[in-house]
Amino acid sequence: MTSQPAAMAQILSLALTAFIMMLAAISFPFLSLDAGGLHNATSVIDAILAFNDGYAFPLAIAVAFFIVVIPLVRLGALIYALGPLVREQKPRQGARKAFGLAERLRPWSMAEIFIVGVTVALIKVAGLAAVTIGPAFWAFAGVVVITVLKDQLICRYSIWEALDQSTD
Amino acid sequence: MGSSGPINGLISARDAGLVACQRCGQVHPLQTRYCTRCDGPLQSRDTESLQKVWAWLIAGMIAYIPANIYPMLLTSTLVERSESTIIGGVIELFDHGSWGIATIVFAASVLIPVGKFIAIMYLAISVQRQSAANRHERHKAYEVVEFIGRWSMIDVFVVAILSALVQLDTIATVNPGIAAVSFALSVIFTMLSAQAFDSRLIWDADRMQQ
């Protein structure tokens, strides 16, 4: 068992790392494809915009939320709520709301499912063309691994208690 | 821990005149409307739970039908244009010899959604009938359903990546089909259905029998 303040510091640093890696994952090239002299590079944003034609547009928005927006909001809310606790200061205003939001969004954050989807897609394409994996792929995979570690460290009831005690 | 008979000597928060916050675990007197800790709405039992469960579940099942009939992927290459449905995609993977991946896709797109429909129906019907059988198993089934449902989204993400990646003008292009939209809707609806289920109702049935 890690002691509580130490665990919180670890959670905060993992959340910060994941947040920055997620920003890297959406800015760098994700995958690129070469076949017959033609080349096509894809970023995570391009994958979201794949549903950009007409009837599927709402799905593009939903996918954007599932794989980028919601994971970022969860991490941001967690950093906001836990930051002062680690420094043993009074929680920020709305810290409890922020943590509540992060908890409620949890089932809708699908970064890890996206990575499995990418793996399946890679295997489907592998036979047909040469696929190059870009830095954003590794950044995204990093986000997933770090998020799993972070979620394992979090004891939500201890955090609720810590947020509760220090606002009184 | 893990007892299967009637739980003697243990009382629920409701029996003690308390209501626990589903979000943060804080307990309050029964009449409290909002949690003092996290501002979440408090309800000792969600009386409309089953209505919401059935509504979302039926919506999810309806959306699952076009998801299987219409094409998920539209592929056009130099020589041909083809459309593949969910099952078609799985069969194609089997033919390529990618057994593992085919199994993952089959589980995520067929076994999990259909299993989820059946599991939620079973949970809702057993609560409606106030059945006291298999309480522990039903609680576990609920946990599994809630945890596993989101993994069905794999196929939607596969379509997203493939259609973004395979855009090689004349040689090959892949575009998403309408089934991707209805499949995503089906997954979202059944997730909402599972979230609307108030698992505390499973306890009540067994308490009423005593």
Side-chain angles (χ1 to χ4, degrees):
Chain A
M1 260 319 265
T2 329
S3 73
Q4 218 192 64
M8 287 223 195
Q10 281 178 5
I11 293 166
L12 185 69
S13 50
L14 288 173
L16 275 169
T17 315
F19 193 91
I20 293 165
M21 283 176 100
M22 185 57 123
L23 293 181
I26 52 178
S27 7
F28 292 113
F30 192 67
L31 295 169
S32 62
L33 189 68
D34 289 279
L38 287 166
H39 175 83
N40 182 44
T42 309
S43 66
V44 174
I45 305 289
D46 292 330
I48 293 165
L49 292 177
F51 294 115
N52 198 14
D53 50 343
Y55 61 81
F57 186 66
L59 186 55
I61 297 174
V63 171
F65 269 84
F66 289 152
I67 64 179
V68 177
V69 179
I70 292 178
L72 279 179
V73 168
R74 282 194 71 212
L75 292 168
L78 196 66
I79 294 166
Y80 180 83
L82 291 191
L85 291 185
V86 173
R87 281 176 273 128
E88 294 181 10
Q89 291 165 353
K90 253 175 77 110
R92 290 194 181 95
Q93 243 200 326
R96 291 185 288 187
K97 274 215 170 71
F99 186 65
L101 180 73
E103 283 288 308
R104 246 175 320 148
L105 286 178
R106 190 171 174 167
W108 302 101
S109 162
M110 303 188 179
E112 72 273 33
I113 301 168
F114 179 67
I115 276 292
V116 177
V118 171
T119 314
V120 174
L122 282 182
I123 289 166
K124 279 193 167 189
V125 185
L128 312 167
V131 182
T132 320
I133 289 170
F137 179 88
W138 300 115
F140 210 99
V143 171
V144 171
V145 173
I146 290 169
T147 306
V148 170
L149 288 176
K150 183 207 76 187
D151 283 341
Q152 289 204 320
L153 272 174
I154 284 188
C155 170
R156 46 192 285 250
Y157 295 112
S158 326
I159 292 178
W160 276 121
E161 240 159 58
L163 287 172
D164 209 18
Q165 281 163 359
S166 20
T167 32
D168 289 338
Chain B
M1 293 296 226
S3 82
S4 53
I7 307 150
N8 296 317
L10 284 180
I11 56 166
S12 68
R14 189 185 173 80
D15 295 334
L18 295 168
V19 52
C21 177
Q22 290 279 79
R23 246 186 250 168
C24 70
Q26 176 80 297
V27 287
H28 302 272
L30 255 185
Q31 294 78 19
T32 324
R33 303 276 302 276
Y34 292 96
C35 178
T36 52
R37 179 148 75 179
C38 68
D39 289 328
L42 294 175
Q43 240 179 336
S44 182
R45 295 294 181 272
D46 186 351
T47 45
E48 272 134 38
S49 165
L50 289 178
Q51 279 194 35
K52 289 184 257 177
V53 169
W54 281 113
W56 287 123
L57 180 67
I58 292 167
M61 285 160 70
I62 291 172
Y64 190 66
I65 299 169
N68 276 283
I69 298 175
Y70 292 105
M72 201 75 173
L73 279 177
L74 313 169
T75 315
S76 43
T77 59
L78 277 177
V79 284
E80 52 164 1
R81 286 175 59 86
S82 65
E83 299 180 340
S84 64
T85 55
I86 292 177
I87 294 290
V90 173
I91 293 171
E92 218 171 277
L93 280 169
F94 264 115
D95 288 343
H96 279 291
S98 316
W99 292 82
I101 292 292
T103 314
I104 291 175
V105 176
F106 183 71
S109 319
V110 180
L111 290 185
I112 294 178
V114 173
K116 223 178 134 173
F117 295 147
I118 296 169
I120 296 176
M121 270 197 276
Y122 166 64
L123 287 172
I125 290 171
S126 69
V127 165
Q128 268 163 345
R129 291 197 174 164
Q130 305 192 343
S131 152
N134 309 324
R135 293 182 301 266
H136 288 276
E137 288 72 17
R138 278 191 283 149
H139 271 289
K140 273 180 208 148
Y142 175 66
E143 298 253 308
V144 171
V145 163
E146 239 206 335
F147 168 79
I148 217 166
R150 40 209 286 282
W151 284 93
S152 298
M153 275 291 184
I154 288 178
D155 226 22
V156 174
F157 295 143
V158 172
V159 173
I161 275 288
L162 281 180
S163 357
L165 192 60
V166 187
Q167 291 295 344
L168 299 169
D169 297 323
T170 49
I171 301 182
T173 52
V174 169
N175 286 302
I178 186 80
V181 180
S182 39
F183 187 76
L185 279 178
S186 173
V187 177
I188 292 170
F189 289 158
T190 37
M191 279 176 72
L192 289 169
S193 172
Q195 286 180 8
F197 185 78
D198 189 343
S199 58
R200 294 170 296 190
L201 292 168
I202 300 175
W203 300 333
D204 288 354
D206 106 62
R207 275 165 205 277
M208 275 172 225
Q209 303 240 321
Q210 285 175 17

